Amino acid sequence: LDVAVSGGLYGPQNYDRGFKGTVSVRTALASSLNVPAVRTAQLVTPGAFVPTLRRLGIASVDRPGDHYGLSLALGSADVTLLELANAYRALANGGLASPVRTRLDAPAPAAAPVRALDAAASFVVADVLADRNARALTFGWDSPLVLRTWAAVKTGTSKDMRDNWCVGFSRRFTVGVWIGNAAGEPMWDVSGTSGAAPVWADLMRELVSARDEPPPPPPAGLVRVPVRFAGGVEAARAEWFLAGTEQREVVRVPSGVWPSIVAP
């Protein structure tokens, strides 16, 4: 995927610099594939993406979408750990964003929660980020991201390994971890999976228990249907859809062939 930008061509690569071929959206997100993320940002446009980040409480993203470009999908904008963790907290709360309260005995924020994301869409994203099978393409079957109880989680590694992150949530707790050097020097062979993820996993194991952390129930407006992937791209499975968008077979469109209106 080469994208024309003001300075020439932008060619995003996956973290391992390999190409995974045709994958579903579920696999692309859970396995942290960069190329599909940039393609999605291209379809949505950075101009529409930035207001969503601001609704989630990420005030550090304070410039127009064109300033960041498509690399915004890969984390090119500087954000704080607290902002990022609180945005994931909104995802855990069904798309409702609210200010941070730093102490349990502090007064609750006066501002009412804001609907930043659709509740049904938030559930589907959380379900993807909790899917051990979908993340196996990149992370394998046994990684620090695998807990005995339900948890949605995402890692990230910045350019030159200067920072790595792991943010995720159970039904009751959201935990964000940053690993890096305070002066900004790169680290050696430390990624989100090997650096921040083990810390995140240790914290989550202390916070959750098998008794009180089952998967969350789906909100209204979702249906789950069996899906078959033509050509054996992925194994057949049950998948969540927004009601009215469900499909039982996914067929790959040949390269260079796009749907068009033939009548009227």
Side-chain angles (χ1 to χ4, degrees):
L1 173 67
D2 287 327
V3 183
V5 295
S6 58
L9 290 177
Y10 169 48
Q13 294 181 320
N14 293 321
Y15 177 77
D16 63 0
R17 300 184 183 277
F19 182 63
K20 306 302 182 182
T22 302
V23 297
S24 65
V25 171
R26 175 174 289 271
T27 297
L29 177 57
S31 291
S32 291
L33 300 185
N34 291 342
V35 174
V38 172
R39 175 58 177 157
T40 302
Q42 188 180 28
L43 295 172
V44 173
T45 74
F49 188 25
V50 164
T52 300
L53 296 178
R54 291 176 181 164
R55 287 197 302 271
L56 288 167
I58 302 181
S60 296
V61 181
D62 57 359
R63 299 193 181 188
D66 290 344
H67 171 80
Y68 302 102
L70 297 176
S71 63
L72 182 61
L74 305 182
S76 61
D78 293 330
V79 301
T80 69
L81 176 60
L82 187 59
E83 285 177 326
L84 189 61
N86 198 41
Y88 273 75
R89 174 172 162 261
L91 190 64
N93 287 329
L96 292 175
S98 59
V100 173
R101 180 171 56 165
T102 55
R103 293 169 55 99
L104 288 175
D105 58 357
V114 174
R115 170 62 64 191
L117 301 170
D118 177 76
S122 297
F123 174 89
V124 173
V125 171
D127 184 71
V128 169
L129 294 181
D131 190 336
R132 179 181 179 182
N133 294 332
R135 74 167 74 102
L137 179 66
T138 294
F139 301 100
W141 297 100
D142 185 18
S143 75
L145 306 180
V146 179
L147 303 181
R148 291 186 177 182
T149 56
W150 186 91
V153 59
K154 184 77 172 62
T155 65
T157 306
S158 66
K159 187 177 181 181
D160 298 327
M161 293 190 174
R162 295 180 185 277
D163 314 88
N164 63 80
W165 310 71
C166 186
V167 188
F169 53 87
S170 66
R171 291 189 65 179
R172 295 179 58 203
F173 301 99
T174 299
V175 173
V177 177
W178 168 82
I179 297 289
N181 294 311
E185 296 96 342
M187 295 175 289
W188 293 97
D189 297 326
V190 182
S191 68
T193 307
S194 62
V199 180
W200 175 86
D202 286 346
L203 287 168
M204 292 298 287
R205 291 189 188 100
E206 290 294 323
L207 291 170
V208 303
S209 69
R211 294 189 306 275
D212 60 4
E213 296 292 346
L222 286 174
V223 293
R224 197 166 189 240
V225 300
V227 178
R228 173 183 174 272
F229 293 84
V233 170
E234 293 187 11
R237 61 173 180 261
E239 187 60 88
W240 291 104
F241 292 91
L242 301 182
T245 68
E246 60 269 23
Q247 50 187 310
R248 297 181 181 273
E249 184 177 27
V250 177
V251 179
R252 180 181 178 184
V253 177
S255 178
V257 178
W258 305 100
S260 61
I261 299 174
V262 295

